[in-house]
């Protein structure tokens, strides 16, 4: 009832005449802004690794996006309607189009009749109205505007249908085996489904594009010279330290969903809540997942145990040995609750033969925590060693005779 009332009031503001037009019209992704000023629950998740968190939702998932390590999951493979979480996948394709130069943030897009017919969350684009990619991304990410999303999709693929085909193909490439898209907006439709696990994979891919944070971290913004006000319904952006995004979603079939990303002390996390019964369920659930991740995990850094003057033998070279250099220190995801003793095992290429080029990999350091290999540091030649030839040997002989 509260949500319907909010939607009615928003529409009333839009169409109530010139007096209302003089003030910015708030555009919201879900029309429910009534609890946006209420802080999150102050309780911190105290569960240890292996224990179940008290989360009120159909499914929950937590992933470290750099390594792809799953830190927590509960019913994460259940296929459910994703609502506007869908737009994460749409945004992956849009960011990739920008990366390859098909679009820029200054590209101007003219809205089609189809894009303007979406309904649901929208910025009320008019057919023929033009906006930059930058403004349409603001509308898509902050306000979850369906019309803006479709306008971008049509520009990338020529049609929404073509774009949806690209979404399904890209999802398979990312390992999202249980997802299937029917539209690019997240409006409820038969066969339009995702899992919390798949959402996590898509979100991890999206935050790999630094540009997305220019939009997903914004609490409020405007369009149309300040006439349209955008308010981000992801409360974590305002109330959770380190939040970098990412996307809310709500429909009658999907319930309340959230993919939330945050970063602290070099550790990035993506939390997914699907099918919460209330808006607070998703925010509190995501907070518990993120708190759990930050409390129990961190990145440990290992410096190569290699002396500065380390050299390794080279056969048939103009030098008998070659200088060894190591790659930069290696970082790996570690449990805070477990002190990790790392053993370094150095292995060089057998029978290293000249010529050896500077920067050529000539060995590695395997890092072990107990019996588990947690990573590898490559070892490189720090100089070039040429192959020994008759000419070089003759030159050595002449040099030797001249010095007698």
């Amino acid at each position: 009832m509260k949500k319907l009332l909010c939607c009615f009031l928003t529409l009333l503001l839009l169409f109530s005449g010139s007096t209302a037009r003089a003030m910015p019209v708030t555009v919201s992704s879900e029309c429910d802004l009534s609890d946006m000023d209420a802080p999150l629950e102050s309780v911190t998740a105290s569960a240890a690794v292996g224990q179940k968190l008290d989360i009120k939702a159909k499914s929950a998932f937590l992933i470290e996006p750099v390594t792809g390590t799953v830190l927590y999951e509960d019913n994460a493979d259940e296929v459910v309607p994703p609502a506007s979480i869908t737009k994460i996948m749409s945004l992956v394709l849009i960011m990739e189009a920008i990366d390859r130069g098909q679009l820029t943030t200054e590209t101007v897009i003219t809205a089609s009749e189809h894009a303007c017919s979406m309904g649901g969350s929208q910025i009320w684009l008019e057919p023929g109205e033009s906006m930059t990619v930058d403004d349409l991304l603001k509308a898509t990410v902050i306000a979850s505007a369906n019309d803006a999303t479709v306008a971008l999709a049509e520009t990338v693929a020529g049609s929404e249908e073509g774009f949806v085909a690209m979404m399904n193909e890209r999802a398979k490439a990312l390992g999202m085996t249980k997802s299937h898209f029917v539209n690019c907006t997240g409006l409820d439709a038969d066969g339009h489904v995702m899992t919390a696990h798949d959402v996590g994979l898509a979100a991890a891919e999206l935050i790999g594009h630094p540009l997305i944070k220019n939009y997903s971290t914004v609490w409020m913004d405007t369009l149309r010279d300040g006439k349209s006000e955008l308010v981000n319904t992801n409360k974590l952006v305002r109330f959770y330290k380190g939040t970098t995004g990412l996307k809310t979603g709500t429909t009658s079939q999907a319930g309340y969903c959230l993919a939330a990303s945050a970063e602290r002390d070099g550790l990035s996390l993506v939390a997914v809540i699907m099918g919460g019964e209330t808006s607070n369920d998703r925010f509190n659930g995501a907070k518990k997942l993120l708190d759990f991740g930050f409390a129990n995990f961190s990145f440990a850094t290992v410096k190569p145990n290699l002396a500065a003057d380390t050299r390794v033998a080279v056969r048939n070279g103009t030098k008998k040995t070659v200088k060894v250099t190591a790659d930069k220190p290696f970082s790996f995801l570690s449990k805070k609750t477990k002190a990790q003793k790392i053993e370094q095992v150095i292995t060089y290429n057998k029978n290293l033969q000249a010529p050896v080029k500077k920067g050529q990999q000539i060995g590695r350091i395997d890092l072990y925590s107990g019996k588990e290999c947690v990573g590898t540091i490559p070892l490189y030649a720090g100089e070039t060693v040429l192959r020994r030839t008759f000419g070089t040997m003759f030159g050595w002989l002449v040099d030797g005779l001249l010095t007698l």
Side-chain angles (χ1 to χ4, degrees), residues 227-276:
K227 295 177 183 177
S228 298
E229 183 179 73
L230 309 176
V231 179
N232 196 330
T233 56
N234 179 6
K235 287 172 63 171
L236 299 184
V237 171
R238 185 177 180 186
F239 292 115
Y240 193 82
K241 179 184 176 183
T243 296
T244 56
L246 192 59
K247 192 73 196 70
T248 58
T250 307
T251 65
S252 58
Q253 292 183 24
Y256 291 88
C257 307
L258 174 64
S261 59
E263 184 175 345
R264 293 181 185 174
D265 299 323
L267 176 62
S268 181
L269 297 175
V270 171
V272 180
I273 298 292
M274 303 296 282

Short mmCIF file of all heavy atoms in Angstrom, two decimals, residues 227-276:
data_model
loop_
_atom_site.label_atom_id
_atom_site.label_comp_id
_atom_site.label_asym_id
_atom_site.label_seq_id
_atom_site.Cartn_x
_atom_site.Cartn_y
_atom_site.Cartn_z
N LYS A 227 15.56 19.53 -13.71
CA LYS A 227 14.10 19.35 -13.62
C LYS A 227 13.72 17.95 -13.14
O LYS A 227 12.62 17.76 -12.62
CB LYS A 227 13.47 19.65 -14.97
CG LYS A 227 13.61 21.09 -15.43
CD LYS A 227 13.02 21.31 -16.81
CE LYS A 227 13.22 22.74 -17.28
NZ LYS A 227 12.71 22.95 -18.66
N SER A 228 14.59 16.96 -13.37
CA SER A 228 14.33 15.59 -12.93
C SER A 228 15.38 15.19 -11.91
O SER A 228 16.57 15.24 -12.19
CB SER A 228 14.37 14.62 -14.12
OG SER A 228 13.39 14.94 -15.07
N GLU A 229 14.92 14.82 -10.73
CA GLU A 229 15.83 14.45 -9.65
C GLU A 229 15.91 12.94 -9.53
O GLU A 229 14.90 12.24 -9.48
CB GLU A 229 15.34 15.05 -8.33
CG GLU A 229 16.27 14.80 -7.15
CD GLU A 229 15.75 15.45 -5.88
OE1 GLU A 229 14.75 14.92 -5.32
OE2 GLU A 229 16.31 16.47 -5.46
N LEU A 230 17.14 12.42 -9.48
CA LEU A 230 17.37 10.99 -9.34
C LEU A 230 17.80 10.68 -7.91
O LEU A 230 18.70 11.34 -7.38
CB LEU A 230 18.46 10.52 -10.31
CG LEU A 230 18.31 10.92 -11.78
CD1 LEU A 230 19.53 10.45 -12.57
CD2 LEU A 230 17.03 10.34 -12.36
N VAL A 231 17.17 9.69 -7.30
CA VAL A 231 17.54 9.27 -5.95
C VAL A 231 17.84 7.78 -5.99
O VAL A 231 17.02 6.98 -6.43
CB VAL A 231 16.41 9.55 -4.94
CG1 VAL A 231 16.82 9.07 -3.55
CG2 VAL A 231 16.07 11.02 -4.91
N ASN A 232 19.02 7.42 -5.52
CA ASN A 232 19.45 6.03 -5.52
C ASN A 232 18.77 5.29 -4.37
O ASN A 232 18.91 5.68 -3.21
CB ASN A 232 20.97 5.96 -5.36
CG ASN A 232 21.54 4.61 -5.73
OD1 ASN A 232 20.88 3.58 -5.59
ND2 ASN A 232 22.77 4.60 -6.19
N THR A 233 18.04 4.22 -4.69
CA THR A 233 17.36 3.47 -3.63
C THR A 233 18.24 2.41 -3.01
O THR A 233 17.76 1.62 -2.20
CB THR A 233 16.07 2.82 -4.16
OG1 THR A 233 16.38 2.01 -5.28
CG2 THR A 233 15.05 3.86 -4.53
N ASN A 234 19.51 2.37 -3.35
CA ASN A 234 20.45 1.49 -2.66
C ASN A 234 20.94 2.23 -1.41
O ASN A 234 21.86 3.03 -1.45
CB ASN A 234 21.62 1.13 -3.57
CG ASN A 234 22.63 0.23 -2.89
OD1 ASN A 234 22.42 -0.22 -1.76
ND2 ASN A 234 23.73 -0.04 -3.57
N LYS A 235 20.32 1.95 -0.29
CA LYS A 235 20.65 2.65 0.95
C LYS A 235 22.10 2.47 1.37
O LYS A 235 22.65 3.30 2.10
CB LYS A 235 19.74 2.15 2.09
CG LYS A 235 18.32 2.62 1.99
CD LYS A 235 17.43 1.95 3.01
CE LYS A 235 17.83 2.25 4.43
NZ LYS A 235 16.82 1.76 5.41
N LEU A 236 22.71 1.39 0.93
CA LEU A 236 24.09 1.15 1.32
C LEU A 236 25.02 2.26 0.82
O LEU A 236 26.03 2.57 1.45
CB LEU A 236 24.58 -0.20 0.78
CG LEU A 236 23.83 -1.44 1.27
CD1 LEU A 236 24.49 -2.69 0.72
CD2 LEU A 236 23.78 -1.50 2.79
N VAL A 237 24.67 2.86 -0.32
CA VAL A 237 25.48 3.96 -0.85
C VAL A 237 25.60 5.08 0.18
O VAL A 237 26.64 5.73 0.32
CB VAL A 237 24.87 4.50 -2.16
CG1 VAL A 237 25.56 5.77 -2.61
CG2 VAL A 237 24.96 3.44 -3.25
N ARG A 238 24.57 5.28 0.93
CA ARG A 238 24.54 6.36 1.92
C ARG A 238 25.01 5.91 3.31
O ARG A 238 25.65 6.67 4.03
CB ARG A 238 23.12 6.92 2.01
CG ARG A 238 22.98 8.13 2.91
CD ARG A 238 21.56 8.66 2.89
NE ARG A 238 21.40 9.82 3.74
CZ ARG A 238 20.23 10.41 4.00
NH1 ARG A 238 19.13 9.92 3.44
NH2 ARG A 238 20.16 11.46 4.77
N PHE A 239 24.69 4.65 3.67
CA PHE A 239 24.87 4.26 5.06
C PHE A 239 25.91 3.18 5.32
O PHE A 239 26.15 2.86 6.48
CB PHE A 239 23.52 3.76 5.62
CG PHE A 239 22.48 4.83 5.76
CD1 PHE A 239 21.32 4.80 5.00
CD2 PHE A 239 22.65 5.88 6.65
CE1 PHE A 239 20.36 5.78 5.13
CE2 PHE A 239 21.70 6.86 6.79
CZ PHE A 239 20.54 6.82 6.02
N TYR A 240 26.54 2.61 4.28
CA TYR A 240 27.50 1.54 4.52
C TYR A 240 28.87 1.97 4.01
O TYR A 240 29.05 2.27 2.83
CB TYR A 240 27.07 0.24 3.84
CG TYR A 240 27.86 -0.96 4.31
CD1 TYR A 240 27.53 -1.62 5.49
CD2 TYR A 240 28.94 -1.43 3.57
CE1 TYR A 240 28.25 -2.72 5.93
CE2 TYR A 240 29.67 -2.53 4.01
CZ TYR A 240 29.32 -3.16 5.19
OH TYR A 240 30.05 -4.25 5.63
N LYS A 241 29.86 1.95 4.90
CA LYS A 241 31.21 2.39 4.57
C LYS A 241 31.81 1.52 3.46
O LYS A 241 31.80 0.30 3.54
CB LYS A 241 32.09 2.32 5.80
CG LYS A 241 33.54 2.72 5.56
CD LYS A 241 34.37 2.52 6.82
CE LYS A 241 35.84 2.82 6.55
NZ LYS A 241 36.68 2.57 7.76
N GLY A 242 32.34 2.18 2.45
CA GLY A 242 33.04 1.47 1.39
C GLY A 242 32.18 1.01 0.24
O GLY A 242 32.67 0.38 -0.70
N THR A 243 30.88 1.32 0.27
CA THR A 243 29.98 0.87 -0.79
C THR A 243 30.38 1.44 -2.14
O THR A 243 30.65 2.63 -2.28
CB THR A 243 28.53 1.29 -0.47
OG1 THR A 243 28.10 0.62 0.72
CG2 THR A 243 27.59 0.90 -1.61
N THR A 244 30.41 0.56 -3.14
CA THR A 244 30.71 0.98 -4.51
C THR A 244 29.53 0.76 -5.44
O THR A 244 29.62 1.02 -6.64
CB THR A 244 31.92 0.21 -5.05
OG1 THR A 244 31.68 -1.19 -4.96
CG2 THR A 244 33.17 0.57 -4.27
N GLY A 245 28.41 0.28 -4.95
CA GLY A 245 27.21 0.06 -5.74
C GLY A 245 26.39 -1.09 -5.15
O GLY A 245 26.59 -1.43 -4.00
N LEU A 246 25.41 -1.72 -5.83
CA LEU A 246 25.50 -1.75 -7.27
C LEU A 246 24.11 -1.64 -7.89
O LEU A 246 23.91 -0.83 -8.77
CB LEU A 246 26.19 -3.04 -7.69
CG LEU A 246 26.65 -3.19 -9.11
CD1 LEU A 246 27.64 -2.11 -9.50
CD2 LEU A 246 27.32 -4.55 -9.30
N LYS A 247 23.12 -2.47 -7.46
CA LYS A 247 21.81 -2.41 -8.12
C LYS A 247 20.74 -3.04 -7.25
O LYS A 247 20.90 -4.14 -6.74
CB LYS A 247 21.87 -3.15 -9.46
CG LYS A 247 20.66 -2.90 -10.33
CD LYS A 247 20.67 -1.49 -10.91
CE LYS A 247 19.33 -1.08 -11.45
NZ LYS A 247 18.31 -0.87 -10.41
N THR A 248 19.62 -2.30 -7.12
CA THR A 248 18.43 -2.85 -6.48
C THR A 248 17.47 -3.38 -7.54
O THR A 248 17.61 -3.09 -8.73
CB THR A 248 17.70 -1.76 -5.66
OG1 THR A 248 17.36 -0.69 -6.56
CG2 THR A 248 18.56 -1.24 -4.53
N GLY A 249 16.47 -4.13 -7.09
CA GLY A 249 15.44 -4.61 -8.00
C GLY A 249 14.22 -5.06 -7.22
O GLY A 249 14.34 -5.71 -6.19
N THR A 250 13.04 -4.70 -7.72
CA THR A 250 11.79 -5.08 -7.07
C THR A 250 10.68 -5.24 -8.10
O THR A 250 10.45 -4.35 -8.92
CB THR A 250 11.32 -4.00 -6.06
OG1 THR A 250 12.37 -3.70 -5.16
CG2 THR A 250 10.11 -4.48 -5.28
N THR A 251 10.03 -6.39 -8.06
CA THR A 251 8.78 -6.60 -8.79
C THR A 251 7.90 -7.50 -7.93
O THR A 251 8.36 -8.08 -6.94
CB THR A 251 8.99 -7.28 -10.16
OG1 THR A 251 9.50 -8.60 -9.95
CG2 THR A 251 9.92 -6.48 -11.06
N SER A 252 6.64 -7.64 -8.32
CA SER A 252 5.73 -8.48 -7.55
C SER A 252 6.17 -9.93 -7.52
O SER A 252 6.01 -10.63 -6.52
CB SER A 252 4.31 -8.37 -8.12
OG SER A 252 4.30 -8.77 -9.49
N GLN A 253 6.76 -10.40 -8.62
CA GLN A 253 7.21 -11.79 -8.68
C GLN A 253 8.58 -11.99 -8.02
O GLN A 253 8.82 -13.01 -7.38
CB GLN A 253 7.27 -12.28 -10.13
CG GLN A 253 5.92 -12.40 -10.81
CD GLN A 253 6.03 -12.96 -12.21
OE1 GLN A 253 6.99 -13.63 -12.56
NE2 GLN A 253 5.02 -12.68 -13.04
N ALA A 254 9.45 -11.03 -8.17
CA ALA A 254 10.83 -11.19 -7.66
C ALA A 254 10.96 -10.85 -6.19
O ALA A 254 11.88 -11.33 -5.53
CB ALA A 254 11.76 -10.30 -8.48
N GLY A 255 10.06 -10.04 -5.65
CA GLY A 255 10.25 -9.54 -4.31
C GLY A 255 11.33 -8.48 -4.30
O GLY A 255 11.57 -7.80 -5.31
N TYR A 256 12.01 -8.33 -3.17
CA TYR A 256 13.04 -7.30 -3.01
C TYR A 256 14.43 -7.92 -3.18
O TYR A 256 14.80 -8.83 -2.44
CB TYR A 256 12.92 -6.64 -1.64
CG TYR A 256 11.68 -5.79 -1.49
CD1 TYR A 256 10.48 -6.36 -1.07
CD2 TYR A 256 11.69 -4.43 -1.79
CE1 TYR A 256 9.34 -5.60 -0.94
CE2 TYR A 256 10.55 -3.66 -1.67
CZ TYR A 256 9.37 -4.24 -1.24
OH TYR A 256 8.24 -3.49 -1.12
N CYS A 257 15.17 -7.42 -4.17
CA CYS A 257 16.48 -7.97 -4.51
C CYS A 257 17.55 -6.88 -4.43
O CYS A 257 17.26 -5.70 -4.57
CB CYS A 257 16.47 -8.56 -5.92
SG CYS A 257 15.15 -9.76 -6.23
N LEU A 258 18.80 -7.32 -4.24
CA LEU A 258 19.90 -6.36 -4.18
C LEU A 258 21.23 -7.06 -4.50
O LEU A 258 21.50 -8.14 -3.98
CB LEU A 258 19.99 -5.75 -2.78
CG LEU A 258 21.18 -4.83 -2.49
CD1 LEU A 258 21.15 -3.58 -3.34
CD2 LEU A 258 21.23 -4.46 -1.00
N ALA A 259 21.99 -6.46 -5.37
CA ALA A 259 23.40 -6.83 -5.56
C ALA A 259 24.21 -5.66 -5.05
O ALA A 259 24.12 -4.55 -5.60
CB ALA A 259 23.70 -7.11 -7.02
N ALA A 260 24.97 -5.86 -3.99
CA ALA A 260 25.70 -4.79 -3.32
C ALA A 260 27.20 -5.05 -3.39
O ALA A 260 27.65 -6.16 -3.10
CB ALA A 260 25.27 -4.67 -1.87
N SER A 261 27.95 -4.04 -3.77
CA SER A 261 29.41 -4.16 -3.81
C SER A 261 30.03 -3.15 -2.86
O SER A 261 29.52 -2.05 -2.68
CB SER A 261 29.93 -3.94 -5.24
OG SER A 261 29.56 -2.66 -5.73
N ALA A 262 31.13 -3.55 -2.24
CA ALA A 262 31.82 -2.67 -1.31
C ALA A 262 33.29 -3.04 -1.28
O ALA A 262 33.68 -4.17 -1.61
CB ALA A 262 31.21 -2.77 0.09
N GLU A 263 34.12 -2.07 -0.85
CA GLU A 263 35.56 -2.30 -0.78
C GLU A 263 36.13 -1.66 0.47
O GLU A 263 35.82 -0.51 0.77
CB GLU A 263 36.26 -1.73 -2.02
CG GLU A 263 37.75 -2.01 -2.08
CD GLU A 263 38.39 -1.53 -3.36
OE1 GLU A 263 37.65 -1.24 -4.32
OE2 GLU A 263 39.64 -1.44 -3.40
N ARG A 264 36.95 -2.44 1.19
CA ARG A 264 37.64 -1.92 2.36
C ARG A 264 39.03 -2.54 2.43
O ARG A 264 39.18 -3.76 2.26
CB ARG A 264 36.88 -2.26 3.66
CG ARG A 264 35.54 -1.56 3.83
CD ARG A 264 34.90 -1.95 5.15
NE ARG A 264 33.56 -1.40 5.30
CZ ARG A 264 32.74 -1.68 6.32
NH1 ARG A 264 33.16 -2.51 7.28
NH2 ARG A 264 31.55 -1.14 6.38
N ASP A 265 40.01 -1.71 2.70
CA ASP A 265 41.39 -2.18 2.90
C ASP A 265 41.84 -3.10 1.78
O ASP A 265 42.52 -4.11 2.01
CB ASP A 265 41.52 -2.90 4.24
CG ASP A 265 41.18 -1.99 5.42
OD1 ASP A 265 41.53 -0.79 5.36
OD2 ASP A 265 40.56 -2.47 6.38
N GLY A 266 41.48 -2.75 0.55
CA GLY A 266 41.93 -3.52 -0.60
C GLY A 266 41.13 -4.77 -0.89
O GLY A 266 41.40 -5.47 -1.88
N LEU A 267 40.15 -5.09 -0.06
CA LEU A 267 39.30 -6.26 -0.28
C LEU A 267 37.97 -5.82 -0.86
O LEU A 267 37.26 -5.01 -0.27
CB LEU A 267 39.06 -7.00 1.04
CG LEU A 267 38.10 -8.20 0.97
CD1 LEU A 267 38.64 -9.29 0.04
CD2 LEU A 267 37.84 -8.77 2.37
N SER A 268 37.64 -6.35 -2.03
CA SER A 268 36.37 -6.04 -2.69
C SER A 268 35.42 -7.22 -2.54
O SER A 268 35.84 -8.38 -2.63
CB SER A 268 36.62 -5.76 -4.18
OG SER A 268 35.42 -5.45 -4.84
N LEU A 269 34.15 -6.92 -2.29
CA LEU A 269 33.15 -7.97 -2.10
C LEU A 269 31.89 -7.64 -2.88
O LEU A 269 31.56 -6.47 -3.09
CB LEU A 269 32.78 -8.11 -0.62
CG LEU A 269 33.89 -8.53 0.35
CD1 LEU A 269 33.35 -8.49 1.79
CD2 LEU A 269 34.41 -9.92 0.03
N VAL A 270 31.17 -8.68 -3.31
CA VAL A 270 29.86 -8.53 -3.92
C VAL A 270 28.89 -9.42 -3.17
O VAL A 270 29.10 -10.64 -3.07
CB VAL A 270 29.87 -8.91 -5.41
CG1 VAL A 270 28.44 -8.96 -5.95
CG2 VAL A 270 30.70 -7.93 -6.22
N ALA A 271 27.84 -8.82 -2.61
CA ALA A 271 26.81 -9.55 -1.88
C ALA A 271 25.51 -9.52 -2.68
O ALA A 271 25.15 -8.49 -3.24
CB ALA A 271 26.59 -8.94 -0.50
N VAL A 272 24.82 -10.65 -2.72
CA VAL A 272 23.58 -10.75 -3.49
C VAL A 272 22.46 -11.27 -2.59
O VAL A 272 22.63 -12.29 -1.91
CB VAL A 272 23.74 -11.70 -4.70
CG1 VAL A 272 22.43 -11.78 -5.49
CG2 VAL A 272 24.89 -11.24 -5.59
N ILE A 273 21.36 -10.56 -2.60
CA ILE A 273 20.15 -10.98 -1.89
C ILE A 273 19.02 -11.07 -2.92
O ILE A 273 18.75 -10.11 -3.64
CB ILE A 273 19.75 -9.97 -0.79
CG1 ILE A 273 20.84 -9.87 0.27
CG2 ILE A 273 18.40 -10.35 -0.18
CD1 ILE A 273 21.02 -11.12 1.10
N MET A 274 18.37 -12.21 -3.00
CA MET A 274 17.25 -12.41 -3.92
C MET A 274 16.00 -12.83 -3.15
O MET A 274 16.07 -13.70 -2.27
CB MET A 274 17.59 -13.49 -4.95
CG MET A 274 18.85 -13.21 -5.77
SD MET A 274 18.74 -11.75 -6.81
CE MET A 274 17.75 -12.39 -8.17
N GLY A 275 14.88 -12.19 -3.46
CA GLY A 275 13.59 -12.60 -2.91
C GLY A 275 13.36 -12.24 -1.47
O GLY A 275 12.74 -13.02 -0.73
N GLY A 276 13.80 -11.06 -1.04
CA GLY A 276 13.44 -10.60 0.29
C GLY A 276 11.97 -10.20 0.33
O GLY A 276 11.40 -9.76 -0.67
#
